[in-house]
Amino acid sequence: MNAHRGGGRDLADEVSRAWAVWEERGSPGMYDFGLHITPDAHHVFTGDDPHGPRWQPLVAAP
C-alpha cells in the first residue's frame, strides 16, 4: 500500500491494524454488525447475540 503521510496521525497504520482485526474476527460482512444500547453504555457486536463477541474501536497508537 502506498500512502502519503502528513498531520498528527498515521492513518495508513490505523487502517492496516483495523484490517488485521477485521480478518481475525472472520471478516464479518456489513450486515453482521449490530448496536446494543442500554441506559449506561453501548457497544457494537458481531453475529446475532448482542451479548456475544463485541467489536471494540481501535485506539490510535501513541
Side-chain angles (χ1 to χ4, degrees):
M1 169 173 54
N2 292 326
H4 297 281
R5 295 179 186 223
R9 293 171 59 187
D10 185 345
L11 296 180
D13 182 58
E14 291 181 37
V15 168
S16 294
R17 288 188 302 123
W19 190 277
V21 171
W22 175 73
E23 287 181 326
E24 288 169 9
R25 297 284 176 95
S27 308
M30 182 170 66
Y31 298 107
D32 293 332
F33 291 89
L35 179 62
H36 184 71
I37 301 173
T38 68
D40 301 318
H42 67 277
H43 66 269
V44 176
F45 64 93
T46 56
D48 295 328
D49 181 3
H51 302 289
R54 296 180 179 198
W55 190 270
Q56 299 298 328
L58 294 175
V59 177

